[in-house]
Amino acid sequence: QVPLVESGGGQVQAGGSLRLSCAASGLAFDTFYMGWFRQAQGKERVLVAAISGRGGNSYYVDSVLGRFTISRDNVEKTVSLRMNSLKPEDSAVYYCAAGQKNFPIGGYNYWGQGTQVMVSS
């Protein structure tokens, strides 16, 4: 059973918005910090945003600061990434991940299967 399942990817024009969601199962969800990573074709996977277990702390990579918002619902066991003002360089496969040991940059030990985001110019 895959504990993390992403949804909400798709194709959008530059300047548009998308909302990614990740549903968790089989995890003590509020004991995990959650992250959204992305991997563009031919590039390394990078952390885009992360949120602490109870949602009090968040992290964003500089390139998305002010455009993306990460949030979580510990009752529904979901984490979301709202992406506004999308740019072609935001195009990538986006992955949801859960970790416990090194917020926000490391210690992720559960991963989703990824969802594709394509931003056209």
Side-chain angles (χ1 to χ4, degrees):
Q1 182 180 8
V2 178
L4 300 174
V5 179
E6 301 98 335
S7 61
Q11 187 168 357
V12 66
Q13 288 190 329
S17 298
L18 282 174
R19 183 182 180 92
L20 306 182
S21 293
C22 174
S25 60
L27 298 177
F29 189 66
D30 60 356
T31 69
F32 286 82
Y33 53 86
M34 301 298 295
W36 284 98
F37 289 74
R38 68 185 180 191
Q39 186 168 20
Q41 193 169 5
K43 296 187 177 181
E44 293 184 352
R45 188 177 302 187
V46 297
L47 177 65
V48 174
I51 189 166
S52 58
R54 296 191 177 185
N57 293 297
S58 59
Y59 162 87
Y60 297 93
V61 70
D62 285 348
S63 59
V64 308
L65 197 62
R67 300 189 297 123
F68 290 12
T69 303
I70 189 169
S71 60
R72 67 187 295 158
D73 184 331
N74 284 350
V75 174
E76 297 295 325
K77 295 189 177 183
T78 59
V79 60
S80 298
L81 185 68
R82 176 68 178 181
M83 305 185 294
N84 295 330
S85 302
L86 283 162
K87 305 175 181 180
E89 53 263 42
D90 294 319
S91 298
V93 178
Y94 282 71
Y95 298 89
C96 170
Q100 291 185 303
K101 291 189 176 180
N102 192 17
F103 178 81
I105 61 172
Y108 292 92
N109 46 8
Y110 292 102
W111 294 84
Q113 81 287 354
T115 185
Q116 180 76 53
V117 171
M118 294 286 293
V119 184
S120 58
S121 57

